[in-house]
Amino acid sequence: MIRELAGQAGSGLDGGVRIHLARFAFPVSARRCEDFARFYAPYDAERSALKKAQAECLGEAQSRLLSGDGAGLSRTLHRLADLEEQFQALTLARA
């Protein structure tokens, strides 16, 4: 899903999607990633660091979206997808 959005970002996003991402999805997701980073910090430094990096990516994504940098937004979302895949793999490995 993140990679699909990244592909769309490169060619331009619909106005409603832009508003939803800028005002809700990116800020709330960044906050949740920060919450997870704090939760994992005492128990799992690696997963905590991945969630912190995701929060930073989401902040960068919001900045790129608001500045109209579609190519930069696409790159940032691909990086976010990579981080999510790393987090999922690590979580499954430790299950």
Side-chain angles (χ1 to χ4, degrees):
M1 176 107 182
I2 299 171
R3 291 197 194 282
E4 182 179 324
L5 184 60
Q8 294 171 7
S11 59
L13 296 169
D14 174 78
V17 172
R18 290 175 51 86
I19 291 169
H20 172 71
L21 292 173
R23 294 189 180 171
F24 180 76
F26 287 163
V28 170
S29 296
R31 177 63 188 186
R32 294 294 76 80
C33 285
E34 285 285 343
D35 291 343
F36 274 113
R38 279 193 298 279
F39 171 80
Y40 282 116
Y43 313 104
D44 192 328
E46 193 172 2
R47 281 194 281 189
S48 178
L50 285 169
K51 284 298 174 183
K52 178 72 173 166
Q54 284 182 323
E56 291 169 1
C57 268
L58 286 157
E60 181 181 336
Q62 184 178 24
S63 295
R64 292 191 182 278
L65 175 66
L66 294 174
S67 70
D69 180 5
L73 175 58
S74 181
R75 286 190 304 273
T76 301
L77 290 173
H78 278 293
R79 192 165 63 250
L80 178 63
D82 291 342
L83 290 166
E84 181 60 22
E85 288 170 2
Q86 291 172 32
F87 182 83
Q88 289 176 11
L90 186 60
T91 299
L92 289 173
R94 294 186 179 166

